Amino acid sequence: MKIYIACPAAAVSGGAELLHQFSQELTKRNVENYMLYYGDTSGSPTPEHYRKYNVKTAARYVDDADSVFVLPEVGVHEAMPKRQSVHLVAVREPLYHVLSRKIFNHL
């Protein structure tokens, strides 16, 4: 399985840090994963503060049968055609932990 994690380039926020932490945890579990930065990638897309997570990067998503694409809610408008709509549902803390365990148990 290959996991591609989309993240806004050079973004410094709680959400961006969580994506980098997620990549680090996948790497610890020997799951092949790549940070896929979008937006202005002309400079260094990984903020200095997040380099400690040692994420691997990819220039593009490879749509294979074993590939998974993780897209944060802030990136939905980048990936969707203009006439599409997406409805986001907030996930409460206890449910989040249940879902996280189920995901990591399958890796």
Side-chain angles (χ1 to χ4, degrees), residues 49-86:
H49 183 70
Y50 303 149
R51 291 188 184 149
K52 63 187 174 190
Y53 298 115
N54 298 314
V55 300
K56 291 182 278 181
T57 62
R60 64 183 180 83
Y61 171 69
V62 179
D63 190 13
D64 291 332
D66 69 337
S67 294
V68 175
F69 186 67
V70 177
L71 180 68
E73 66 273 8
V74 298
V76 170
H77 70 279
E78 297 280 337
M80 298 297 294
K82 297 293 182 196
R83 293 181 183 231
Q84 297 283 340
S85 67
V86 174

Side-chain angles (χ1 to χ4, degrees), residues 6 26 55 87:
L26 290 171
V55 300
H87 298 276

Side-chain angles (χ1 to χ4, degrees), residues 7-11 36-47 77-78:
C7 183
L36 185 62
Y37 292 106
Y38 62 89
D40 183 9
T41 59
S42 58
S44 176
T46 306
H77 70 279
E78 297 280 337

Side-chain angles (χ1 to χ4, degrees), residues 4 10 19 31 36 59 63 65 83 100:
Y4 294 86
L19 294 172
V31 177
L36 185 62
D63 190 13
R83 293 181 183 231
S100 296

